[in-house]
Amino acid sequence: AFERACALSDAAVAGATGQALQAFDTLRGVATLRRRRMAAALALLPAASTPIDRARLWSQAAPVSSIALPDLPRLEAARQRVAAWRAVDHRRELYVGLVLLAEELARAGDLEAARASAAEATALEDPAWPPALRMVGAQVDSNIALHHPTPGPRLDGLAGLQRMLALAERSGDPARVAMARFRLAD
């Protein structure tokens, strides 16, 4: 459905199905087709006629992963994703986008802006959200701390990783628990 929607330049269907595929890939721990879908989503952005279609396509073009497109800087993609979800006023997606933006800002060396984005995400977090979703926010402080130029402040991320492990254990997913333990040990 995603590929057919892309062939027909149907941004609405591509946005919805692409977002579902992204969630499915995350659950399976697979990212093999993600780069191709990212490029397809980016190409369809001009065809998006509604804010929700644009937001869904930006979520695919700027996923929370280490994959990047050569024609789209990751920081710019993260900013566009946040702007698109702000326009739709979707709290959960804005939360994920702000976490991604915080990580990209930290990677770019702007730790102050990264902390501000992470704080905004934390303010949006809802305790009723699934533990797996809240894990995304729990690890952001450690990701920001890892980009600090001196070792002392890097330990500030320890509490976030401990929270991430607790959420992983609550999720009941052994793969998430293993990932959290690995990150904490690292």
Side-chain angles (χ1 to χ4, degrees):
F2 176 78
E3 289 174 8
R4 182 162 169 78
C6 289
L8 296 172
S9 295
D10 188 336
V13 172
T17 57
Q19 202 171 22
L21 285 168
Q22 197 173 38
F24 186 62
D25 286 351
T26 300
L27 287 172
R28 295 184 318 155
V30 175
T32 54
L33 299 174
R34 194 168 283 172
R35 186 180 309 276
R36 189 173 74 190
R37 285 193 298 241
M38 287 169 64
L42 186 61
L44 274 178
L45 275 164
S49 60
T50 68
I52 189 70
D53 295 342
R54 278 190 292 285
R56 287 177 174 155
L57 290 171
W58 271 116
S59 285
Q60 293 165 63
V64 180
S65 72
S66 59
I67 300 170
L69 292 174
D71 298 338
L72 181 64
R74 290 166 56 130
L75 180 54
E76 179 58 24
R79 284 185 170 129
Q80 292 292 333
R81 179 179 178 158
V82 167
W85 285 109
R86 276 193 206 287
V88 176
D89 195 26
H90 191 289
R91 189 177 173 141
R92 283 172 70 148
E93 291 294 339
L94 179 57
Y95 168 79
V96 173
L98 286 164
V99 168
L100 171 64
L101 179 58
E103 292 180 8
E104 293 305 325
L105 287 163
R107 185 176 283 120
D110 191 346
L111 299 181
E112 185 176 325
R115 286 188 198 99
S117 185
E120 185 179 353
T122 300
L124 291 173
E125 190 172 291
D126 184 339
W129 288 348
L133 175 62
R134 289 184 292 137
M135 281 178 63
V136 172
Q139 69 182 340
V140 73
D141 288 337
S142 68
N143 291 347
I144 293 170
L146 287 174
H147 290 283
H148 200 279
T150 59
R154 289 184 196 148
L155 293 176
D156 292 344
L158 189 59
L161 290 174
Q162 290 168 332
R163 183 171 164 250
M164 180 182 169
L165 176 58
L167 289 165
E169 288 170 342
R170 286 183 47 209
S171 78
D173 181 347
R176 290 183 197 280
V177 172
M179 178 194 61
R181 285 183 179 154
F182 174 76
R183 300 252 342 220
L184 187 57
D186 191 42

